[in-house]
Structures are given as C-alpha cells and as structure tokens.
Amino acid sequence: MRNILLYLMLTMAVINTATAQVWQVSTQDNLQQILDNTEDGDTVILAEGNYFGNFIINSGITLRGSNETIIDAMGKGNGIHLFSSNITIEDLTIINWGDDLTEQNSGIYSDKKAENILIQNNQLQGSGFGIWLQKAEHIKVLNNTIAGDTRLRSADRGNGIQLSMVKHVLVRGNNVSNTRDGLYIISSQENTLQDNTMHDLRYGIHYMYSHSNKVLNNLAYNTRAGYALMSSKHLIVSGNTSKNSEDYGFLMNFITSSTITDNVIENVWTKPENKVLGRDGKGLFVYNSAYNTISNNLINTSEIGIHLTAGSENTKVFGNSFINNPTQVKYVSNKKQEWSLDGKGNFWSNYLGWDMDNDNVGDVIFEPNDGIDKLVWQYPEMKMLMDSPAIVILRWVQRQFPILKPPGVKDSFPLMQSPHQVNTTSVAAIAELPDAQQ
C-alpha cells in the first residue's frame, strides 16, 4: 500500500485540505486505482483525454472532468457504477457503454440504497440506459445531455433516465433524444421532472406505478406519445408541451386523483404510411382514469382532440381549448358527463352558438357528439355514408326528439373565446412534420 501511495504522489499533484484531498488525474494514471484509494469528501479532477474502462466508485466523492474528458466503457458494462452516497458526477463525457438491457447496462448506474447523489452537466451517448438510479433518495439530475444509438431499433435501446424505487429526486434541465423513452419512472414517489426537453423517442415521459409526483414545464416532440402516464395517482402535470406526436399527446391509463392543467398539445397525427383502422392521433387519451381534473389545456390540430373510454368518469373538464381537431371528442360510455365547472366550460373551434349578453359564454349548450358518431366509432365502415340523405335525416330526428339521443358529453357553458394564444397548423401541413421514432 505504501508503494502504491508513493507512486501516486509522484505522478500526480495531491492537494491536502483539512478534511479531504483533491486528486489531479491524467490519462497516464490508473483511474480505477485512484478511485479505490479515495475517501469520503475527496475530489477527483480528470484532465482532458480518454479514460478507458468500467469505473467503480465506492466512496462519497466528487468526480469532475473538463470539456474534453471522455469516459469510454469500450462497449460493455456500465460507464460509471456508484456504490456509495454523497457522490457528485459532473462535466464528463461518457460514451460506448454496453447494450445489454437485461443487465441494465448504463452510462451512470446506481442500484444500491444511497442518498445525496448529484449528476450534472454531463454528455452521455450510448446504446443502453443513459442514467439508471434505483433505491436511492435525495438525488439531483441536472442539465445533462443524453443521446441513444440510432443504429438500433427504438425497442432495443435503453431509456434516457430511468428512476426505479426512488424518492425525492429532481430531474431538471436535461436534453434526451434517440433513446427508447426519455424519462422512465417506475414505483417512485415524491419526485419532480422539470424543464426537460425530450425528442425523437417512443415516449417523452413514461410513468408506471408512481404517486405524488410533479411533471412541470417539460417539452416533448417527435414522439409516439409525448407523455405516457400509467397506473399512478396524485400527479401534478402542468405547463408541459407535446408537439408532433404520432399517437398521443398525453396518454392517461389508470390515472386517478391527478391534475392535468395548463399544458399545450399540438399536431398529433398518424402518418399516412402507418395508418390502420382505429389508429388515429389523439391529443388526450383517457383510459380507465377517474377523479382527475383536466383544465386550461390547449389541444390543437389532433385527429381526435380528446378520447375517453373504459370507465373514465368523474373527471372535471373545463377551461380547455379544443381547436382545429376534426373530431373534438370521442366519448365511449353510457353515462352523461358535464364538462364545465362553476359556469366555465371549454372553447370549441367548431361551436356555432351565440352570445347575446356578451359574457363570453355561449347561450347554446355544446354537445360534441351524437348517436351517429357512436355508430361510426362502433362501425367505422359507416364513414362512407356520412353525407348520405339517410344520415342527415337521422341527425335531424335526433335533434327533434332528444329522448332518442344517447348519453354523452355536454358543455353547458361553452366559451366564446379561447384563453390560449394559438399558432394554428393546417391539416395539410401535417404530412410535412418530422418523422417520429418508431
């Protein structure tokens, strides 16, 4: 041990402080050997250059690089594996880790119960998972850039940032692209995802079995689904944007007691070459989700503005703007729903009512669907008959005899003006949108 320490002292500058050491390391040094000799509180500063290997950190240290510090995992395992609390990883470029998703190969990996981990200002590019954090608490993942391997199918890539069984994690300011999902959260509580940008992915943010989380002011574009929220409750999803998704802007599956507010969903449209019967772009898809609040969102230029099905009831829907969606609402249920609250409904770009008292609320109730719509949903082949005299007569009979009208959505206080500023996109322009990853 004495000889090793003497060798290290001769080949690097070690600056002693009262409680810790700062290790200045070059590419000529044995980085893993140095990491093995650090103690809690030490700082390891890596000079520019390439460091080859799969590195393990067993103590609570800071590992810091420069703009040209590269950790190259040589195509296998993890780039950096964390086994301790109180670790900071910053200003590194990490590349070329393994692609074995079963082994959870990651650029930065931690699966031990740990606390106070900070991962910031790193550049990661590889085939497996970018950052994998499990069983830890009080973590910050800030301002990292993570890119996947476009040579692989989307399903064969890892997720950009994966949080599993963690609590009190802040994920903020990251840019994730070309991975499978951008941010994947499972069985994790009391975390915040904020100000992240996710693009060219399957799902931008993907939630599973996670409760009491916040999703704030994120941007997702060029995805299959911007935000896939599943089997979770007590979520606050606010201020987010989803653009140019192919299947869903927001997908809510078994979501309860959550608030979806002040989000922007634009251009959800299935590309013509991927069209099959029943596959339509849905701004909001709400499946078997109840006791939620959906308010003050903008849903603009989606094939279907909002689709509710499978018992998605007892949901407050008000203050939203449904604009330029060929089908504003698709509601599959046998119960009536009132989509307004305290005299405030939603704005519908196809509303043809009037406002005689100038209170910005329409004087005529808006009902986006009727019995004919439900027949078309059940029997899509009927679309070819939509302009036939028989269908026109059926709609007229339904209006004259409301008792024949099936239960559906009703907005008793439709807004005459949208509360949102809208940058409309023509349906014809949808075909020119950038391709989403498959």
Side-chain angles (χ1 to χ4, degrees), residues 108-344:
I108 300 174
Y109 184 79
S110 173
D111 66 342
K112 305 298 181 183
K113 189 173 182 180
E115 294 185 346
N116 302 319
I117 294 175
L118 172 62
I119 300 172
Q120 65 178 356
N121 302 326
N122 301 288
Q123 309 281 328
L124 297 96
Q125 184 168 13
S127 302
F129 299 90
I131 298 172
W132 179 295
L133 300 170
Q134 185 166 301
K135 303 177 184 177
E137 297 187 20
H138 303 290
I139 300 173
K140 292 182 179 179
V141 182
L142 310 176
N143 304 318
N144 303 281
T145 299
I146 303 170
D149 187 347
T150 57
R151 295 172 299 179
L152 300 175
R153 294 186 312 137
S154 175
D156 294 332
R157 307 171 200 168
N159 301 315
I161 299 174
Q162 175 124 355
L163 307 179
S164 175
M165 295 180 285
V166 300
K167 293 180 67 175
H168 306 296
V169 176
L170 172 63
V171 180
R172 186 180 66 202
N174 302 280
N175 188 303
V176 184
S177 63
N178 292 311
T179 58
R180 182 171 56 195
D181 297 340
L183 313 182
Y184 182 89
I185 301 89
I186 183 168
S187 301
S188 298
Q189 327 305 326
E190 301 176 56
N191 307 297
T192 299
L193 312 181
Q194 184 173 0
D195 297 323
N196 302 285
T197 298
M198 298 124 338
H199 58 97
D200 298 290
L201 307 156
R202 183 182 68 166
Y203 302 153
I205 291 179
H206 189 178
Y207 262 93
M208 293 292 294
Y209 310 109
S210 298
H211 315 311
S212 303
N213 286 265
K214 295 180 180 179
V215 183
L216 308 174
N217 304 321
N218 300 282
L219 169 63
Y221 63 92
N222 292 358
T223 62
R224 290 281 298 276
Y227 303 81
L229 313 175
M230 303 184 184
S231 302
S232 302
K233 60 185 178 182
H234 300 299
L235 301 180
I236 296 176
V237 184
S238 178
N240 303 282
T241 298
S242 175
K243 293 185 177 182
N244 301 354
S245 293
E246 185 166 359
D247 291 328
Y248 311 99
F250 281 67
L251 185 159
M252 299 170 60
N253 182 5
F254 289 90
I255 297 296
T256 57
S257 304
S258 296
T259 299
I260 315 297
T261 186
D262 297 306
N263 302 288
V264 174
I265 302 169
E266 294 185 318
N267 299 334
V268 186
W269 213 271
T270 302
K271 295 193 293 293
E273 61 268 27
N274 295 328
K275 270 288 188 183
V276 295
L277 188 63
R279 183 177 179 182
D280 302 296
K282 302 170 180 66
L284 274 167
F285 180 66
V286 187
Y287 180 88
N288 204 15
S289 300
Y291 301 98
N292 300 299
T293 297
I294 300 174
S295 65
N296 302 319
N297 303 287
L298 168 63
I299 301 95
N300 176 26
T301 313
S302 300
E303 288 181 272
I304 298 174
I306 181 171
H307 182 179
L308 286 87
T309 188
S312 298
E313 298 157 358
N314 297 301
T315 294
K316 299 175 182 177
V317 183
F318 64 94
N320 303 286
S321 296
F322 295 92
I323 297 174
N324 198 28
N325 308 301
T327 299
Q328 298 278 40
V329 177
K330 184 174 181 178
Y331 175 62
V332 182
S333 177
N334 291 321
K335 293 185 178 181
K336 296 180 180 180
Q337 285 211 41
E338 172 60 49
W339 281 9
S340 65
L341 183 68
D342 298 331
K344 182 179 182 180

Side-chain angles (χ1 to χ4, degrees), residues 336 367 371 396-407:
K336 296 180 180 180
E367 295 178 284
W396 180 84
V397 170
Q398 191 171 245
R399 287 194 299 270
Q400 302 306 311
F401 301 95
I403 193 172
L404 300 177
K405 185 179 295 182

